Amino acid sequence: MSPRDLMGAALRGLTANKLRSLLTVLGVSIGVGAVIVLVAVGNGSGKAVQDRLEAMGTNLLTVSTTGGGGGFVRGQAGPANQQYSLTLDDAAALADKNLAPDISSVAPVMTSSGTATNGDTSYTVNQVIGTTPAYLPATNTPVQIGRSFTQADVDTSQRVILLGQTAATELFTRPASAVGQTIKLGAVDFTVLGVLASKDSTGFNDPNATAIVPITTLRATQAGYGALNQIVVQAAGQDRVDTAQAEVTQLLTARHQVPADETSPFRITNSAQILQTSQDTAATFTALLATVAAISLVVGGIGVTNIMLVTVTERTREIGIRKALGARRRTILGQFLIEATLLSLIGGAVGVGAALIVTRFQLAGVHPVLVPSSIGLALGVSAAVGLFFGSMPAHRAAGLRPIDALRHE
Amino acid sequence: MAAESLIEIREVTKTYGQGETAVHALRGVSLRVEAGEYVAVMGSSGSGKSTLMNILGCLDVPSRGEYWLDGSDVARLSEDQQALVRGRKIGFIFQSFNLIPRTTALANVELPLTYAHLRRGERRKRANRALELVGLADRTGHRPNELSGGQQQRVAIARALATGPRILLADEPTGNLDAHSTAEVLGMFDDLHADGRTIIVITHEHDVAARARRLVQVSDGRIVSDEVTR
């Protein structure tokens, strides 16, 4: 019997009971669809986290002192903590290529808050950041309109300011009209040099409600000459983040003469580590979803076995007739195996189709991202399900003695 | 063995079950059928005539004894070789027609040709010719449930003839047919016999048996008489 004839016989067998075939197909397609969709959802949520973290800046190390409870409290440190306060000299030392070859740029950060006013409009800026121009590329904060300030502006304490999207909108309604204008921050006039590009939120704070000024200006006008809140360090490459972190620790420990038996007073946040951790979490999440989906695929496969067993029992007499007419064992085996495989392959194809449609929509707040290999895998598994779960009923059919099959009522 | 015999069975027994509950369907049957014979096997129900037919048709294997079919020992054939013998040398006609449901008359007749690995075109040609022979050329596209009993049995005969087998085995072929259809079917058997085909009919009806040239009577698993009637 040629493959084409076998296929024809199998198709006739399937269409003989359309509703039953349809329901079996449905079982498999739900399994296959679930695998693809859930993997895509897991993948999509992982991607979303990754994108948000990348928006924070990659290869980034944020150095702060643990003394005084975090980097956002201004330098009210007592004498014991003062020893470990971060200074501009620390920043300069970290930027030294000879001392720390794996660091590409360093930006000292001081933060303050204040009320900005433009004529009658006033807006409380939660985060006024005093830093150097290196801060912007390191933290992935491009200037959208206008320009950034320069190192010369920092050196000469120019009263210039970059506004975040929210701040610019609040003060000028149209962010574009802000550039070149003068605003007051506290009692001091600042010229708006540029407006920062909008950023996705990475936490509870609105990252667009900021203003950035040269660090020297901030110290002179707002924050005083206390300790730095943070030093932002960018590693020279993704694979050099860990060495850069070691260099930072070593340099700061030496500069501040931290005793060897003391835990490091410096907290270094490694963006790559956070990224890695969240990617691991996402991978676990995806694996969990895929497992749940795989279970439904197995259930679908058992459905195929069930239906094939019923079919074989129901068509025992037909099998007997076929054998009497000269059908060989492997012909019968082939026909029922093809039937089972067709059921699950059609189910697989329907499942893939449904999954392709479903993953176009946002699911549970996540944009699913299709994993091409999951489609291949799901289709392959569904074919294997047909062969595996169909083989038992098919063997049972093929092994029937013709006379027993013919006598079956 | 006698090389000229188409069918020869020697001391064949068939026992179902074991020990106390064993049923002896055949208790030592020997029979020779030459090519071109028209034999009727008669017996009451439970006499073992159906078991005999199943063994002759390679649908069942004897518990003991030999079966030589067209010069080869059936007991030595593998399952697949037996399937081949059924497909090539024997055409079956059953009391309940045994057509494949939901499948057209043409596809039913084509089926044994498919198993004999014939090409599609050749299959179609032969199947159409066989259906023409039984007078159903205009019913090729009909499914079994759209045909009368007589027509279904004619489709079954066409199917049995399609591969051009040397032997036709008919098990109560007219058991489910009315008088008119019975006459038609028996007329066809006469024609086939005239063409030189070997026909073995199992029946319990005397008028069916009377059409054959030789009558074998079976009772309680043994052949009780074997005579040439015409």
Side-chain angles (χ1 to χ4, degrees):
Chain A
M1 206 173 183
S2 72
R4 189 176 159 182
D5 296 325
L6 268 179
M7 190 66 91
L11 273 177
R12 271 196 295 280
L14 289 183
T15 48
N17 203 324
K18 290 194 186 66
L19 180 65
R20 188 197 285 168
S21 301
L22 198 78
L23 289 173
T24 315
V25 161
L26 192 66
V28 177
S29 55
I30 287 174
V32 169
V35 167
I36 298 172
V37 169
L38 291 185
V39 167
V41 166
N43 188 36
S45 68
K47 264 236 159 56
V49 172
Q50 189 177 343
D51 287 350
R52 267 180 288 180
L53 285 171
E54 273 171 2
M56 268 169 60
T58 46
N59 313 341
L60 198 66
L61 297 171
T62 310
V63 186
S64 56
T65 343
T66 46
F72 291 101
V73 175
R74 270 191 284 143
Q76 304 296 332
N81 281 337
Q82 224 151 25
Q83 187 193 349
Y84 302 137
S85 295
L86 295 168
T87 64
L88 281 174
D89 289 342
D90 289 335
L94 289 174
D96 189 327
K97 286 278 178 236
N98 294 320
L99 294 172
D102 293 306
I103 291 171
S104 71
S105 71
V106 176
V109 174
M110 280 190 84
T111 51
S112 158
S113 61
T115 304
T117 50
N118 169 33
D120 296 335
T121 321
S122 74
Y123 174 68
T124 305
V125 185
N126 283 325
Q127 212 183 8
V128 179
I129 300 169
T131 187
T132 57
Y135 178 82
L136 300 179
T139 58
N140 211 355
T141 317
V143 176
Q144 190 180 33
I145 311 159
R147 63 170 182 87
S148 174
F149 53 81
T150 61
Q151 189 59 43
D153 292 328
V154 177
D155 292 343
T156 55
S157 303
Q158 290 297 314
R159 291 175 176 183
V160 291
I161 192 164
L162 302 173
L163 293 175
Q165 283 282 334
T166 312
T169 312
E170 290 288 335
L171 290 169
F172 293 95
T173 314
R174 288 195 313 112
S177 63
V179 178
Q181 303 288 318
T182 301
I183 62 163
K184 266 190 195 308
L185 188 64
V188 185
D189 284 337
F190 281 87
T191 308
V192 179
L193 275 187
V195 177
L196 303 171
S198 182
K199 264 185 134 175
D200 285 338
S201 175
T202 53
F204 299 108
N205 295 323
D206 181 1
N208 299 314
T210 54
I212 300 178
V213 299
I215 187 164
T216 45
T217 319
L218 188 80
R219 298 190 108 182
T221 62
Q222 317 277 329
Y225 292 90
L228 298 177
N229 293 94
Q230 293 175 353
I231 298 175
V232 171
V233 175
Q234 191 175 26
Q238 198 141 30
D239 49 340
R240 290 159 80 177
V241 176
D242 290 338
T243 31
Q245 183 171 359
E247 284 163 10
V248 170
T249 313
Q250 199 189 348
L251 257 172
L252 291 179
T253 306
R255 283 181 58 83
H256 294 269
Q257 294 161 358
V258 180
D261 57 347
E262 201 175 304
T263 49
S264 176
F266 305 108
R267 194 176 60 181
I268 303 172
T269 317
N270 183 334
S271 67
Q273 270 172 7
I274 299 174
L275 191 63
Q276 189 59 52
T277 311
S278 55
Q279 274 172 341
D280 290 349
T281 313
T284 312
F285 183 53
T286 307
L288 186 74
L289 289 177
T291 309
V292 172
I295 290 170
S296 63
L297 190 54
V298 170
V299 172
I302 293 170
V304 172
T305 313
N306 193 11
I307 284 308
M308 291 312 295
L309 275 177
V310 171
T311 304
V312 167
T313 310
E314 214 182 52
R315 284 159 62 188
T316 300
R317 202 183 166 82
E318 180 192 322
I319 294 164
I321 300 169
R322 287 175 182 275
K323 288 204 157 184
L325 296 179
R328 289 199 242 176
R329 190 188 161 85
R330 66 161 183 261
T331 310
I332 301 288
L333 185 69
Q335 182 186 336
F336 283 92
L337 269 187
I338 289 176
E339 276 189 33
T341 309
L342 267 183
L343 274 180
S344 48
L345 264 184
I346 293 171
V350 170
V352 167
L356 287 179
I357 294 167
V358 168
T359 49
R360 286 169 174 273
F361 301 100
Q362 192 168 335
L363 299 172
V366 176
H367 282 290
V369 177
L370 274 178
V371 184
S373 62
S374 75
I375 297 176
L377 189 74
L379 269 180
V381 167
S382 71
V385 157
L387 280 174
F388 179 75
F389 287 101
S391 65
M392 195 260 274
H395 273 288
R396 179 175 283 194
L400 284 169
R401 297 238 314 276
I403 186 62
D404 295 335
L406 269 176
R407 281 209 192 112
H408 187 89
E409 289 302 327
Chain B
M1 62 162 277
E4 69 270 19
S5 292
L6 181 59
I7 289 174
E8 177 167 12
I9 56 173
R10 290 183 203 158
E11 285 304 313
V12 161
T13 63
K14 181 70 190 178
T15 310
Y16 296 105
Q18 280 182 337
E20 292 288 305
T21 57
V23 176
H24 300 281
L26 293 178
R27 299 166 183 268
V29 172
S30 297
L31 182 70
R32 267 191 192 194
V33 178
E34 308 299 331
E37 278 196 278
Y38 185 175
V39 184
V41 178
M42 274 194 82
S44 54
S45 78
S47 61
K49 61 185 194 304
S50 285
T51 305
L52 181 62
M53 138 112 182
N54 291 332
I55 287 173
L56 290 178
C58 298
L59 294 172
D60 208 350
V61 285
S63 304
R64 205 163 295 148
E66 288 174 43
Y67 177 19
W68 294 82
L69 173 64
D70 206 7
S72 56
D73 185 357
V74 173
R76 287 174 188 273
L77 298 179
S78 70
E79 201 187 314
D80 278 356
Q81 283 170 323
Q82 286 189 23
L84 206 68
V85 166
R86 286 195 294 271
R88 296 253 167 94
K89 295 188 175 166
I90 304 168
F92 290 96
I93 297 158
F94 300 95
Q95 178 176 5
S96 51
F97 322 136
N98 276 349
L99 298 178
I100 308 263
R102 295 178 291 264
T103 306
T104 62
L106 186 67
N108 259 295
V109 177
E110 267 189 49
L111 203 57
L113 300 169
T114 312
Y115 293 138
H117 302 285
L118 260 74
R119 289 180 180 285
R120 207 178 170 73
E122 180 67 17
R123 258 167 25 207
R124 182 117 322 162
K125 212 170 77 188
R126 283 216 209 175
N128 273 315
R129 204 164 55 208
L131 281 167
E132 219 169 285
L133 207 68
V134 298
L136 286 176
D138 55 339
R139 294 280 194 279
T140 55
H142 287 57
R143 288 160 210 279
N145 57 353
E146 299 161 347
L147 296 169
S148 71
Q151 288 169 331
Q152 287 189 54
Q153 193 61 300
R154 275 147 71 191
V155 172
I157 292 171
R159 185 177 66 182
L161 293 175
T163 50
R166 297 189 65 184
I167 305 161
L168 271 184
L169 277 181
D171 187 3
E172 305 273 7
T174 57
N176 283 348
L177 299 181
D178 56 27
H180 175 69
S181 300
T182 300
E184 260 180 10
V185 166
L186 291 178
M188 256 172 229
F189 283 2
D190 287 342
D191 294 345
L192 290 166
H193 172 62
D195 283 351
R197 222 160 306 237
T198 311
I199 302 174
I200 301 176
V201 181
I202 313 274
T203 185
H204 63 268
E205 292 169 63
H206 285 284
D207 50 342
V208 174
R211 302 286 280 263
R213 303 300 153 100
R214 179 179 166 193
L215 177 64
V216 175
Q217 301 234 32
V218 181
S219 177
D220 199 22
R222 289 195 178 87
I223 291 177
V224 290
S225 81
D226 182 351
E227 53 193 339
V228 175
T229 49
R230 281 205 279 171

